[in-house]
mmCIF file of all heavy atoms in Angstrom:
data_model
loop_
_atom_site.group_PDB
_atom_site.id
_atom_site.type_symbol
_atom_site.label_atom_id
_atom_site.label_comp_id
_atom_site.label_asym_id
_atom_site.label_seq_id
_atom_site.Cartn_x
_atom_site.Cartn_y
_atom_site.Cartn_z
ATOM 1 N N GLN A 191 157.581 119.591 205.401
ATOM 2 C CA GLN A 191 157.222 118.164 205.658
ATOM 3 C C GLN A 191 158.449 117.302 205.605
ATOM 4 O O GLN A 191 158.546 116.327 206.417
ATOM 5 C CB GLN A 191 156.218 117.764 204.475
ATOM 6 C CG GLN A 191 155.639 116.350 204.665
ATOM 7 C CD GLN A 191 154.677 116.004 203.617
ATOM 8 O OE1 GLN A 191 154.612 116.633 202.598
ATOM 9 N NE2 GLN A 191 153.826 115.034 203.925
ATOM 10 N N ILE A 192 159.358 117.572 204.751
ATOM 11 C CA ILE A 192 160.473 116.643 204.564
ATOM 12 C C ILE A 192 161.620 116.941 205.676
ATOM 13 O O ILE A 192 162.210 116.021 206.206
ATOM 14 C CB ILE A 192 161.133 116.742 203.124
ATOM 15 C CG1 ILE A 192 160.167 116.120 202.137
ATOM 16 C CG2 ILE A 192 162.523 116.152 203.007
ATOM 17 C CD1 ILE A 192 160.468 116.409 200.724
ATOM 18 N N THR A 193 161.828 118.157 205.920
ATOM 19 C CA THR A 193 162.913 118.546 206.839
ATOM 20 C C THR A 193 162.482 118.771 208.287
ATOM 21 O O THR A 193 163.250 118.705 209.206
ATOM 22 C CB THR A 193 163.684 119.844 206.414
ATOM 23 O OG1 THR A 193 162.735 120.891 206.446
ATOM 24 C CG2 THR A 193 164.143 119.649 204.954
ATOM 25 N N GLY A 194 161.133 119.150 208.508
ATOM 26 C CA GLY A 194 160.718 119.474 209.840
ATOM 27 C C GLY A 194 161.039 120.952 210.229
ATOM 28 O O GLY A 194 160.775 121.336 211.302
ATOM 29 N N LEU A 195 161.641 121.680 209.293
ATOM 30 C CA LEU A 195 162.079 123.041 209.586
ATOM 31 C C LEU A 195 160.978 123.992 209.140
ATOM 32 O O LEU A 195 160.171 123.720 208.219
ATOM 33 C CB LEU A 195 163.394 123.393 208.835
ATOM 34 C CG LEU A 195 164.582 122.486 209.211
ATOM 35 C CD1 LEU A 195 165.687 123.030 208.343
ATOM 36 C CD2 LEU A 195 164.898 122.546 210.651
ATOM 37 N N GLN A 196 160.878 125.155 209.844
ATOM 38 C CA GLN A 196 159.993 126.259 209.400
ATOM 39 C C GLN A 196 160.611 126.910 208.240
ATOM 40 O O GLN A 196 161.900 127.158 208.086
ATOM 41 C CB GLN A 196 159.812 127.273 210.511
ATOM 42 C CG GLN A 196 159.039 126.703 211.693
ATOM 43 C CD GLN A 196 158.584 127.802 212.614
ATOM 44 O OE1 GLN A 196 157.733 128.635 212.248
ATOM 45 N NE2 GLN A 196 159.076 127.916 213.771
ATOM 46 N N VAL A 197 159.800 127.165 207.212
ATOM 47 C CA VAL A 197 160.178 127.827 205.944
ATOM 48 C C VAL A 197 159.488 129.133 205.755
ATOM 49 O O VAL A 197 158.227 129.198 205.869
ATOM 50 C CB VAL A 197 159.932 126.862 204.740
ATOM 51 C CG1 VAL A 197 160.397 127.578 203.454
ATOM 52 C CG2 VAL A 197 160.617 125.550 204.960
ATOM 53 N N VAL A 198 160.266 130.135 205.496
ATOM 54 C CA VAL A 198 159.690 131.564 205.280
ATOM 55 C C VAL A 198 159.590 131.715 203.763
ATOM 56 O O VAL A 198 160.663 131.718 203.004
ATOM 57 C CB VAL A 198 160.585 132.592 205.853
ATOM 58 C CG1 VAL A 198 160.037 133.988 205.570
ATOM 59 C CG2 VAL A 198 160.738 132.381 207.353
ATOM 60 N N ASP A 199 158.408 131.900 203.257
ATOM 61 C CA ASP A 199 158.099 132.167 201.910
ATOM 62 C C ASP A 199 158.035 133.709 201.681
ATOM 63 O O ASP A 199 157.304 134.362 202.379
ATOM 64 C CB ASP A 199 156.791 131.493 201.485
ATOM 65 C CG ASP A 199 156.394 131.734 200.036
ATOM 66 O OD1 ASP A 199 156.449 132.836 199.601
ATOM 67 O OD2 ASP A 199 155.962 130.735 199.427
ATOM 68 N N PRO A 200 158.874 134.282 200.802
ATOM 69 C CA PRO A 200 158.906 135.782 200.674
ATOM 70 C C PRO A 200 157.563 136.400 200.206
ATOM 71 O O PRO A 200 157.297 137.514 200.634
ATOM 72 C CB PRO A 200 159.948 136.027 199.699
ATOM 73 C CG PRO A 200 160.211 134.649 198.956
ATOM 74 C CD PRO A 200 159.814 133.670 199.924
ATOM 75 N N VAL A 201 156.830 135.637 199.435
ATOM 76 C CA VAL A 201 155.554 136.176 198.919
ATOM 77 C C VAL A 201 154.519 136.237 200.148
ATOM 78 O O VAL A 201 153.809 137.257 200.398
ATOM 79 C CB VAL A 201 154.993 135.384 197.796
ATOM 80 C CG1 VAL A 201 153.551 135.815 197.469
ATOM 81 C CG2 VAL A 201 155.851 135.471 196.561
ATOM 82 N N ILE A 202 154.495 135.177 200.875
ATOM 83 C CA ILE A 202 153.588 135.131 202.095
ATOM 84 C C ILE A 202 154.042 136.208 203.097
ATOM 85 O O ILE A 202 153.253 136.938 203.748
ATOM 86 C CB ILE A 202 153.606 133.739 202.731
ATOM 87 C CG1 ILE A 202 152.896 132.738 201.826
ATOM 88 C CG2 ILE A 202 152.916 133.736 204.095
ATOM 89 C CD1 ILE A 202 152.996 131.350 202.272
#
Side-chain angles (χ1 to χ4, degrees):
Q191 184 177 20
I192 290 171
T193 65
L195 301 179
Q196 293 195 65
V197 179
V198 178
D199 182 313
V201 173
I202 293 175

